[in-house]
Amino acid sequence: MTSFKIPGPPVGKERPRVSRGHTYTPERTVAYEQWVLLHARNARVRPLEGPLKMQVVWCKQVTASWSKKRKAEALLGVYATGTPDLDNVVKSISDALNGIAYQDDAQIAVLWASRIYVAGDSWVGVEIEQVAGG
């Protein structure tokens, strides 16, 4: 099993852009994927083989403008919503880990993702492990 933490708010995978007949990935997406890669390498993530289970937990900072009551309620286990879409965040992370945590993100057979509120700064936790049945 491998796990690591990505500090800061995540960036969802943006759609490819086309300019003058060439397709490119938007800069924000590229920068975030490099950020993920940096933290995976710092955590000494090594490639896993076979089918994998990936868990992604986005710990989202409670909005500063909320009342104390609303903040307290959110910290009691309310799932967070909003943008970027959670599936796009997972896509950014899983694409960034191609060739690092696994050969290809097609190896991910089980995926669990959530977004919760936390009192401190935002961060994303990633955990990847092999599953039986390969």
Side-chain angles (χ1 to χ4, degrees):
M1 177 174 41
T2 185
S3 64
F4 65 99
K5 181 178 174 179
I6 308 161
V11 174
K13 182 82 169 190
E14 296 176 285
R15 294 176 188 217
R17 306 283 193 249
V18 178
S19 176
R20 298 183 187 138
H22 296 306
T23 304
Y24 68 96
T25 304
E27 272 186 48
R28 280 188 56 201
T29 299
V30 171
Y32 186 69
E33 288 177 356
Q34 290 173 344
W35 182 245
V36 171
L37 184 61
L38 171 74
H39 290 285
R41 285 189 173 147
N42 286 344
R44 301 195 188 287
V45 170
R46 298 286 176 244
L48 298 172
E49 307 235 346
L52 305 174
K53 176 176 116 180
M54 182 178 200
Q55 180 174 324
V56 177
V57 180
W58 172 6
C59 298
K60 184 177 180 179
Q61 183 177 26
V62 175
T63 306
S65 63
W66 285 0
S67 68
K68 285 183 181 182
K69 180 181 177 186
R70 187 170 179 193
K71 286 179 185 178
E73 289 171 351
L75 294 173
L76 288 176
V78 174
Y79 285 103
T81 58
T83 58
D85 294 352
L86 186 57
D87 59 327
N88 291 335
V89 169
V90 170
K91 187 64 178 157
S92 283
I93 294 168
S94 64
D95 283 354
L97 294 174
N98 277 330
I100 302 299
Y102 34 75
Q103 198 61 28
D104 189 84
D105 56 356
Q107 289 175 249
I108 300 170
V110 179
L111 176 63
W112 189 81
S114 64
R115 177 175 25 195
I116 60 171
Y117 287 112
V118 293
D121 293 333
S122 294
W123 57 278
V124 178
V126 178
E127 190 174 283
I128 305 166
E129 64 183 302
Q130 292 175 307
V131 292

